[in-house]
Amino acid sequence: MNSLSSIASQLLSDPKGLLAADESTKSANKRFAALNIEQSEEMRRLYRQMLFTTPNVAQYISGVIFYDETIRQTTDDGKPFADYLQEQGIIPGIKVDGGLVDLPNFPGETVTEGLDGLAERLTEYYKMGARFTKWRAAFVIDEAGKLPTSTAIHANLHAMARYASLAQAAGMVPIVEPEVLYDGTHSQKACQDTLSVVLRVLFELLTAYKVDLSGVILKSSMVLAGKDNPQQSDPHAVANATLGVFNERVPKDIAGIVFLSGGQSPDMATANLNAIGSAGKQPWPITFSFSRAVQDPVMAKWDGKSQNVAEAQKIFAQLLANNSFARDGKFTSEKK
Ligand code: 13P
């Protein structure tokens, strides 16, 4: 096993998952604003510190994905967050894409920026302790069935494949995250078809760029009907459709698959993950890499107040425990 696949297999080790704590400053501020929490660098530091110092967190998570601001921040006593987590056996990772910008001539579609200067940034992050990285692209499904276009898929996935090759050259595992957005009224079948095309092109391009698949983790959405479609799919149907696409499109030799929660409620994300975990052995380890589904209730309980930290941490540990059970299909609501 080479060092990339060894890092990847530690990240995917049973029964753990990954914590996505890589919300950009803009996204973190938006979530704070919705709860009337002060939006400042110090409040973002205090919030992330609360998450990372939750007792026993290392039982449930193998890695944390940071944002640039967060990997430069420290605990109250001045220890870099990356060092603090490493001491508990949690691997630091970093989001390295530059976010989404509109794709000219393709209304409603975006392309992810961030390749310029990436090799230098990767070297710096490696020195700070990061051993894995993440790059996200987003694909919207429209009502007319015209989006995503082939141009948006190819523009995004070429960039993603170039990122993956640069991350591996810098000694870090790439997490490739082609998110099919949950927003919209589309059917579950439309999501399934879109994810199928996206994953086909993604793995063609990763292969074309000679990326070592054994050192790659796929971060995927689940196959869901759009959020505004009244006909939602039950967890069994979500598991069948999601695993159906993976078995058709995902090479057996990638290191593993993790899920984003994508705007599902915590209960829904856990129930769907549990159905996927219950479906029997798959060719790859599969686990969670949630942000909102493990953080939203925690942030609400915290509410920016130090006296709420212990209660909020209890909720956080419980949500992580639920998803740790769910990855193995062992979650029951009594375990809540
Ligand atoms: P959500 O779980 O909130 O979708 O976030 C995961 C993530 O990393 C999005 O890029």
Side-chain angles (χ1 to χ4, degrees), residues 8 41 54 70 90 93 104 116 118 149 151 167 175 226 260 274 278 290:
E41 180 174 351
T54 294
T70 321
I90 296 173
D116 287 355
L118 180 56
T149 59
T151 306
I175 296 185
L260 57 99
N274 193 60
S278 308
F290 297 157

Side-chain angles (χ1 to χ4, degrees), residues 275-308:
I276 290 164
S278 308
K281 194 162 163 48
Q282 304 301 323
W284 336 259
I286 301 181
T287 188
F288 61 94
S289 174
F290 297 157
S291 158
R292 283 164 287 177
V294 294
Q295 288 192 47
D296 282 355
V298 182
M299 191 184 286
K301 169 56 78 177
W302 174 58
D303 198 27
K305 300 185 177 79
S306 57
Q307 67 268 28
N308 296 337

Side-chain angles (χ1 to χ4, degrees), residues 20 22 31 65 95 134 136 177 179 219 259-263 289-293:
D22 59 333
R31 290 182 201 168
I65 315 172
K95 167 195 175 81
K134 190 192 95 172
R136 170 177 176 265
E177 183 184 21
E179 175 172 359
K219 179 158 176 167
F259 284 111
L260 57 99
S261 57
S289 174
F290 297 157
S291 158
R292 283 164 287 177

Side-chain angles (χ1 to χ4, degrees), residues 10 41 44 58 82 117 165 195 199 203 210 239 244 268 276 280 282-283:
Q10 286 173 60
E41 180 174 351
R44 292 189 296 277
S165 59
L195 186 62
L199 293 182
F203 287 106
K210 301 189 176 176
M268 182 179 173
I276 290 164
Q282 304 301 323

Side-chain angles (χ1 to χ4, degrees), residues 303-316:
D303 198 27
K305 300 185 177 79
S306 57
Q307 67 268 28
N308 296 337
V309 163
E311 277 301 307
Q313 286 181 325
K314 263 191 218 153
I315 294 171
F316 185 49

